[in-house]
Amino acid sequence: RVGFLVFAMLTESRDTAAGDVVEIPLPAAGPYGVIFIPDTSGCAAAIRSFDRLPNGTFGPIQRHGGVHYGDILFEMNDRSFLNTPHNDVMRIINDKNLLKKNAKFINAKEY
């Protein structure tokens, strides 16, 4: 249990603004409270804005606090989105059959 608490503290303190890769576990189904756009090459998914959930709270990505506007979702479940067209990335993000979703974000300058 102590190991889990240390892991949780370490992962939640990571921040793309500091050059960290931020990994956020997401539930199988959204909404996630974020609006994505393609990166400059039409691939991956860049954060355009955050959107509150229907109940008025922040989504899991914004609630983490270490991810910001313009950051890139570049990997999920060890699958790189580097050369994956944005539409395909969005299908993967919205796939409710993926029960485990570990989203990895990086600062656009590091991407």
Side-chain angles (χ1 to χ4, degrees), residues 28-101:
Y32 301 115
V34 65
I35 306 218
F36 291 109
I37 58 173
D39 68 9
T40 56
S41 66
C43 296
I47 295 176
R48 184 184 82 189
S49 62
F50 292 104
D51 204 11
R52 289 189 184 256
L53 301 180
N55 65 4
T57 62
F58 293 136
I61 297 169
Q62 187 176 15
R63 196 169 43 243
H64 179 279
V67 177
H68 311 280
Y69 297 112
D71 287 349
I72 307 291
L73 170 61
F74 73 97
E75 186 177 298
M76 183 175 287
N77 296 349
D78 297 322
R79 178 182 172 171
S80 173
F81 293 152
L82 182 63
N83 295 311
T84 305
H86 178 72
N87 289 338
D88 293 344
V89 172
M90 295 310 299
R91 274 193 286 280
I92 293 167
I93 293 168
N94 293 314
D95 184 351
K96 294 177 185 172
N97 292 319
L98 284 177
L99 300 180
K100 174 187 167 197
K101 292 182 181 176

Side-chain angles (χ1 to χ4, degrees), residues 8-26:
M9 290 178 357
L10 289 174
T11 57
E12 289 183 16
S13 66
R14 300 186 69 75
D15 194 311
T16 58
D20 296 331
V21 170
V22 173
E23 185 171 353
I24 303 173
L26 300 175

